[in-house]
Amino acid sequence: YESSRGCPFNCSFCMSSIDKKMRVFSMERVKRDLKILLETKAKQIKFVDRTFNADYKRSMEIMKFIVNNNRNNITIHFEITADIINDDFLDFIGKMPVNMFQFEIGVQSLNEKTLDEINRSMNINKLSSVVEKINSYNNIHLHLDLIAGLPYEDYESFKDSFDGVHRLDVQKIQLGFLKVLKGTKIYEDRKKHKIKYLPCAPYEVISTKYITLEEILKLKKIEELVERYYNEKYFNKSLKYIVSNYFPGSAFEFYSSFSEFWQKNNLYKKSHSRKSLYKILYDYIEYKNKINEEFIAALKYDYIFNNQFE
């Protein structure tokens, strides 16, 4: 559902940067539409407004209306910008029902040179404090997005961005890849940054001056494991134990090492049930000669807790 179009920001990779004005449906229209949608049996309503909280009072009014009319416990998904959130909005979020709302926050990168080049004005310290505050409420499902292939973001820099986001311990990390879309500034700057990309949709990055094709492919493999293990939330205790005890400096190093294990054993070319993923994780730790009672206890807990009804 779209209640507004356009965006107050000017990110160089985004089609919304072309549209210089924000336009909104009237509140009467939005409430009328939502009344109909909330009476359906949909599992989720996803707002595709580029920055739902651009007008925080308007966004709070919409969320309050949803709370008062969401009789079917539908999950509502919003894309928001974290570092523009003020205390009023934070206090309001803290009073929201548990698990009714999901917030997707486009971090994209923590490299300040990259953020400056893509016109992504962001206060990284404010972002972190806001995410930590929302996390402390334990009522909102948080997704943080990163984009690989941006200007000045090489493999090591992306690793730092990933680790910075991972430390925030949100429910989902979405690792995406730059799309080079005609009309955007990133398209105009493609030669400057030696950006190579697919000639047809989705026009995804292949390599840049800063990151090679081989490194992009490595990140593709890592993305798959982040999706299978971190985002599914079936391995919480195991992953936290592994990262804190075996890879304390970098969660990215764990996923990179784990990816190499998957490639060595041709695991990417096979289908896997959820239960088989526990065995693969055990085999990996055994391969690293790191098996101990604490890890086994964590893995057992995850397995029993997440498979008790199967």
Side-chain angles (χ1 to χ4, degrees):
Y1 179 73
E2 188 175 40
S3 75
S4 65
R5 184 168 295 178
C7 182
F9 302 102
N10 194 33
C11 301
S12 68
F13 56 84
C14 183
M15 291 297 290
S16 294
S17 65
I18 301 170
D19 200 348
K20 302 302 180 185
K21 295 181 180 179
M22 273 196 72
R23 292 163 287 154
V24 300
F25 282 140
S26 68
M27 190 58 66
E28 180 184 4
R29 162 72 182 268
V30 172
K31 290 180 178 179
R32 185 171 69 244
D33 290 347
L34 285 175
K35 187 75 172 174
I36 296 169
L37 292 172
L38 290 168
E39 289 174 359
T40 68
K41 294 182 180 179
K43 291 183 178 179
Q44 183 181 85
I45 298 170
K46 183 171 183 177
F47 276 69
V48 292
D49 304 46
R50 300 313 299 167
T51 306
F52 174 72
N53 63 321
D55 181 337
Y56 82 95
K57 290 183 178 179
R58 181 177 185 273
S59 63
M60 289 194 297
E61 185 173 351
I62 291 172
M63 292 171 69
K64 187 175 182 179
F65 178 84
I66 291 170
V67 170
N68 292 334
N69 292 275
N70 191 1
R71 312 265 190 279
N72 296 326
N73 295 317
I74 299 172
T75 300
I76 317 296
H77 184 102
F78 301 110
E79 296 182 29
I80 69 168
T81 297
D83 63 316
I84 65 170
I85 290 178
N86 59 23
D87 290 339
D88 285 347
F89 192 73
L90 271 178
D91 292 341
F92 179 79
I93 291 171
K95 300 179 179 72
M96 292 295 95
V98 175
N99 293 332
M100 183 177 290
F101 296 108
Q102 292 182 357
F103 289 161
E104 180 178 340
I105 300 171
V107 178
Q108 321 313 5
S109 173
L110 296 181
N111 182 326
E112 293 188 357
K113 189 174 181 181
T114 296
L115 293 173
D116 184 62
E117 179 65 16
I118 63 173
N119 299 325
R120 179 74 176 183
S121 176
M122 182 172 71
N123 184 326
I124 294 174
N125 291 331
K126 175 76 179 293
L127 164 78
S128 298
S129 65
V130 164
V131 169
E132 288 170 357
K133 185 69 173 177
I134 296 174
N135 247 344
S136 72
Y137 295 145
N138 292 314
N139 64 341
I140 304 290
H141 194 90
L142 282 176
H143 298 190
L144 299 188
D145 296 348
L146 289 170
I147 296 179
L150 293 172
Y152 302 119
E153 187 91 278
D154 59 19
Y155 192 79
E156 285 299 311
S157 168
F158 187 84
K159 169 188 167 183
D160 292 340
S161 292
F162 181 92
D163 284 336
V165 165
H166 189 276
R167 280 191 287 271
L168 294 174
D169 194 26
V170 297
Q171 285 70 40
K172 190 169 185 176
I173 298 174
Q174 297 183 174
L175 202 168
F177 296 82
L178 177 66
K179 311 294 189 296
V180 183
L181 306 176
K182 287 186 178 180
T184 62
K185 184 177 183 298
I186 205 77
Y187 177 82
E188 295 173 3
D189 291 343
R190 65 194 187 281
K191 292 182 179 178
K192 171 185 174 182
H193 298 294
K194 296 182 181 178
I195 300 173
K196 294 181 180 179
Y197 60 97
L198 294 174
C200 54
Y203 310 106
E204 193 170 274
V205 65
I206 296 172
S207 66
T208 71
K209 184 192 294 187
Y210 318 98
I211 194 165
T212 66
L213 169 61
E214 291 74 21
E215 290 168 336
I216 289 288
L217 293 176
K218 280 184 184 179
L219 292 178
K220 288 276 188 181
K221 299 292 187 184
I222 289 170
E223 176 212 9
E224 184 172 336
L225 296 186
V226 171
E227 190 64 35
R228 284 178 183 266
Y229 283 89
Y230 182 92
N231 289 342
E232 291 297 329
K233 296 305 173 193
Y234 298 130
F235 307 87
N236 276 355
K237 283 191 177 294
S238 304
L239 294 180
K240 285 181 179 178
Y241 182 85
I242 291 169
V243 171
S244 62
N245 288 277
Y246 305 148
F247 297 88
S250 172
F252 185 90
E253 289 292 344
F254 158 64
Y255 286 103
S256 179
S257 173
F258 196 25
S259 176
E260 289 172 5
F261 176 81
W262 271 62
Q263 289 176 286
K264 180 178 180 180
N265 292 279
N266 293 317
L267 295 171
Y268 283 110
K269 297 179 180 180
K270 303 173 184 177
S271 61
H272 302 283
S273 67
R274 185 206 305 171
K275 290 182 178 180
S276 71
L277 295 177
Y278 291 94
K279 177 65 164 58
I280 293 171
L281 188 58
Y282 179 91
D283 290 344
Y284 165 72
I285 297 299
E286 185 176 51
Y287 165 76
K288 299 292 287 185
N289 198 27
K290 297 288 187 179
I291 294 290
N292 60 33
E293 291 182 4
E294 289 83 3
F295 167 72
I296 292 174
L299 191 65
K300 281 183 177 179
Y301 178 92
D302 284 334
Y303 184 87
I304 294 170
F305 182 81
N306 293 297
N307 295 280
Q308 56 186 311
F309 301 114
E310 295 188 7

